[in-house]
Amino acid sequence: MKLSGIKNLKEDLNNCAIELYSNKRIIVLDCKCVVDYSKDCIVLDLGELNLRIKGENLVADSFVFGQTDISGQIISLEFI
């Protein structure tokens, strides 16, 4: 998917919200499913886009009603 600015990114994310607490915890709201899961990389389906979270010792603490709570040493976030 080709992005040409913030407007398209906002449209692709729809109702999704991302809360980042330092580099230790991230909460993603309106997540469809977990696409890939390892201690170094977690990929979440947000609808039109996926969110790749890279880090160390990543753990999905919960996945309830589309809310995903991930903790660990977060190094990077990338929309793919």
Side-chain angles (χ1 to χ4, degrees), residues 15-17 29 33-34 52-54 61:
N15 295 324
C16 179
L29 304 173
C33 69
V34 177
R52 179 184 296 147
I53 303 163
K54 290 185 178 180
D61 295 318

Side-chain angles (χ1 to χ4, degrees), residues 6-57:
I6 293 294
K7 182 181 177 200
N8 287 343
L9 181 61
K10 182 179 178 191
E11 289 172 0
D12 290 340
L13 290 176
N14 293 326
N15 295 324
C16 179
I18 299 171
E19 300 175 11
L20 185 62
Y21 299 93
S22 181
N23 64 337
K24 302 290 184 197
R25 183 176 178 214
I26 184 170
I27 296 176
V28 181
L29 304 173
D30 201 31
C31 175
K32 308 300 183 220
C33 69
V34 177
V35 176
D36 190 19
Y37 186 97
S38 72
K39 65 179 184 171
D40 300 323
C41 180
I42 296 176
V43 179
L44 304 176
D45 181 354
L46 305 180
E48 295 291 322
L49 292 172
N50 288 345
L51 175 63
R52 179 184 296 147
I53 303 163
K54 290 185 178 180
E56 298 173 357
N57 300 318

